[in-house]
Every structure is written in C-alpha cells, then in structure tokens.
Amino acid sequence: MLLTAFLFLFKNNILSQNLINNGSFETYSVSAFGCAYNFSMVDVWQQINSPDHFTSLCTLSNYGVPNNNFGVSYPKNGNAYCGIICYRKSDEIKEYIQQNLIPPLISGKTYYISFYVSSSDRFTMAIKNIGAYFSISQPTVVPGDNYVQAIPQVENHSGFLTDTVNWVKIEGYFTAQGGEQYVTIGNFNSNTNTDTLYTGSNDPAPGNPDGAYYYIDSVSLYDSLDYVTNIKKYENDFKVNLYPNPNNGNMTLDYDLGASSNGIMYISDITGKLISTYSLQNSRGKLNINEHDFENGVYFYSIYVYDKTLKTDKVVIIK
C-alpha cells in the first residue's frame, strides 16, 4: 500500500511540472537589505524597463510586504511578488517581466498559462489589457514609445482589474506554433488602445498621477492535459467562505481543504500586523470566530495550506 501511494505521488510530481521557474519570485540575489529591490536580481527572470520586486524579508520599506511604496498587498503565495506599470497617461512607457523557457514550446501542443494580479491602491487608474505573450525571439519595445507591441496568446477578458485586496486570476489555453522560448507579461497595447477606468486613491503615490500599477504573483505554465488531469481538480477541491462580512467580530468560516488534512488561518490588521491565528484541524469543517476586541475597520484573513496561500481576502468589522 505504501509503495503504491509513493508511486502515485511520484507519478503526479513528474507529470505536474510547472514550466515557469521561480513563478512566485521567491528566489533572488540577496542585497544588503535582504531583498532584490532591483528586479534584475530575481532569479531566471528578465525585465523590460524597470519592474519592481517586493518581499516580506526586505528591510527597505519601499520594497516590503505587505506595505510598500505602491500600497498594501499580501502575496498570493510565499513571501514575495513583483509589480509593473501597465499604463501612464503622460507617456507610453510600460513595464514587463519576462522569462526564457527551457525547453522551447512544442508545435501543435496546447498549453495552459495562469498568473495573478492585484491593483495597487496608490495609483488612480485601472485597465483590462494584461496578458501573456509567447515568442520565438526576445521581444523589444517600440522605438521612442517604450512598450512592447504584440498580440498576447492569453489576455484578461473579465473587465477592469480594479481589486486592490484580492488576487485576480488571468488564465487561458493556447496552441504553440513551435519554438516559442520567451514568455512576457504586461500590457501590449498603446495608450490609445488601452481601456482605462479612473478609480482614484485615498493616498496617491507621488509622481504617478493617472497611472495603473499591478502586483503579479504565482505564474504557472503547464501542458494542458497535465493541468486538467492533475492541477485543476486539485484546485477545485478547495472551498472557503467567511460570513457574515461585514460583521461585529462574530463570524464563521466554512472550509473544505480537499485532500489536505489541515491548514492555518491568519488574521492581520491593515498594517500587516498579525493579530490572530487559527488551526484548521480537519480537511473540512466550520470554525466559529469571536473577536470582540477588534476595533472597527478593515482586516485581512489568509488561509494557508502546505505553506501556500489558498485565499487572502478582507473582512470588515462594524460594531
């Protein structure tokens, strides 16, 4: 029985191979500040223009997690994420992250790409047009305009990306032409062809009026058959619901962790300070939470399974 279980897990690990390396930006060349404040220091990733890297291990407040120069955001997974400017009203400059795929994609094979974005709450605009572009040669920017002009194989079609608290998944399938060895993520449209929505900000970042900036985390690329067979079913097993929301400190968490035996729930305040920790002892159940000492305001809760973030969301306390 143990041998059968081992072989099953071994087989799934071989099949379920993320073709993106360092997809959550966790590994990097550590500077004197404990972080890769320059994105070029992030392992295996390349940059176009000047994307940013953020981690909870950084001693520079501008590049920390959850608080940094562009807002407040917890990682989707792990301790880190990156950030890119996807639109600025004043010019065409846009930022991109890029990786050299080894080996290149196979002609006629269908692949599945996904990544998560969250809008910065210190910029005043939101856009729709964020996507992933696969190319045989390394793409370059339009001379004089400083953006990559291309048609991404996968792009967001769910409306304006306005959420500053939750991570929004951008995903899709595509068939490879063959030989694609670069994946580039960002906005591939000129300003004229970029749909924009003014969202405003309670604390706009200085020098960045009328811009759209997005955090990016958990980039994955799978053979489509592998994804459907091994990954998608696993993701669909998880169910988490916290209610009522808003509440007066009394709330209930319904959870189903699928094949996982347990998990952890963390509650933090708006500054990122950890306030409460709850163990989810069973794979599914109902947890009654009584936090009468919480003051009115916005808090964040995160569900961790196998040291990965299953869900991060906000909860509002009103008494």
Side-chain angles (χ1 to χ4, degrees):
M1 180 66 71
L2 289 177
L3 178 60
T4 302
F6 172 79
L7 291 175
F8 175 78
L9 291 173
F10 179 77
K11 177 183 177 182
N12 277 336
N13 286 336
I14 293 297
L15 289 174
S16 304
Q17 180 184 4
N18 185 359
L19 303 179
I20 297 292
N21 192 10
N22 195 21
S24 288
F25 313 99
E26 300 297 320
T27 59
Y28 51 88
S29 300
V30 178
S31 69
F33 306 103
C35 58
Y37 57 89
N38 187 325
F39 188 78
S40 64
M41 301 166 67
V42 180
D43 289 1
V44 307
W45 285 98
Q46 301 162 356
Q47 62 181 6
I48 297 178
N49 295 324
S50 302
D52 303 295
H53 181 257
F54 307 96
T55 174
S56 60
L57 307 179
C58 192
T59 60
L60 292 174
S61 60
N62 287 354
Y63 297 94
V65 169
N67 299 283
N68 53 64
N69 196 44
F70 302 115
V72 178
S73 185
Y74 288 86
K76 172 62 180 173
N77 284 308
N79 298 305
Y81 48 76
C82 72
I84 58 174
I85 292 175
C86 292
Y87 172 84
R88 285 201 307 202
K89 187 176 181 180
S90 59
D91 56 56
E92 291 281 3
I93 297 175
K94 298 172 179 67
E95 297 174 340
Y96 304 85
I97 58 171
Q98 183 180 94
Q99 186 170 134
N100 188 355
L101 301 172
I102 302 175
L105 303 186
I106 300 172
S107 175
K109 183 179 284 293
T110 301
Y111 294 88
Y112 168 83
I113 175 80
S114 70
F115 57 95
Y116 291 82
V117 303
S118 183
S119 179
S120 161
D121 50 22
R122 298 197 69 194
F123 279 64
T124 60
M125 306 291 289
I127 69 169
K128 301 176 181 177
N129 315 85
I130 299 180
Y133 172 57
F134 294 85
S135 57
I136 296 174
S137 58
Q138 190 170 17
T140 57
V141 298
V142 176
D145 284 336
N146 248 339
Y147 77 96
V148 176
Q149 187 176 31
I151 301 176
Q153 286 87 343
V154 173
E155 192 174 31
N156 171 59
H157 295 291
S158 63
F160 287 104
L161 298 164
T162 60
D163 203 322
T164 61
V165 175
N166 303 300
W167 289 92
V168 178
K169 191 176 189 180
I170 297 176
E171 61 181 338
Y173 297 89
F174 69 97
T175 301
Q177 171 187 340
E180 294 93 334
Q181 57 181 336
Y182 291 94
V183 57
T184 306
I185 294 175
N187 175 16
F188 300 92
N189 298 276
S190 66
N191 283 1
T192 301
N193 292 323
T194 298
D195 295 325
T196 61
L197 175 70
Y198 182 80
T199 57
S201 172
N202 294 326
D203 182 25
N208 292 291
D210 298 335
Y213 186 96
Y214 288 90
Y215 302 117
I216 299 176
D217 200 0
S218 297
V219 185
S220 299
L221 175 66
Y222 291 99
D223 176 291
S224 64
L225 180 60
D226 178 13
Y227 173 72
V228 171
T229 303
N230 297 314
I231 308 298
K232 187 173 183 178
K233 181 181 183 301
Y234 178 76
E235 291 176 340
N236 290 340
D237 283 344
F238 293 107
K239 296 179 179 63
V240 173
N241 181 34
L242 183 72
Y243 63 91
N245 191 8
N247 61 70
N248 63 1
N250 293 322
M251 62 198 96
T252 299
L253 179 76
D254 279 343
Y255 63 92
D256 185 344
L257 305 181
S260 305
S261 59
N262 52 59
I264 302 175
M265 177 184 184
Y266 296 112
I267 300 180
S268 305
D269 65 16
I270 192 68
T271 69
K273 179 182 177 181
L274 179 63
I275 299 176
S276 297
T277 301
Y278 294 91
S279 286
L280 309 178
Q281 297 291 345
N282 303 307
S283 61
R284 60 181 58 85
K286 182 176 293 187
L287 177 67
N288 294 317
I289 300 170
N290 300 305
E291 294 288 1
H292 298 292
D293 294 335
F294 280 14
E295 298 180 355
N296 288 348
V298 177
Y299 297 81
F300 295 91
Y301 71 93
S302 298
I303 310 297
Y304 282 76
V305 175
Y306 298 135
D307 294 326
K308 291 189 176 182
T309 310
L310 168 61
K311 181 174 183 178
T312 297
D313 207 341
K314 66 180 178 181
V315 55
V316 179
I317 303 298
I318 302 176
K319 296 181 179 179

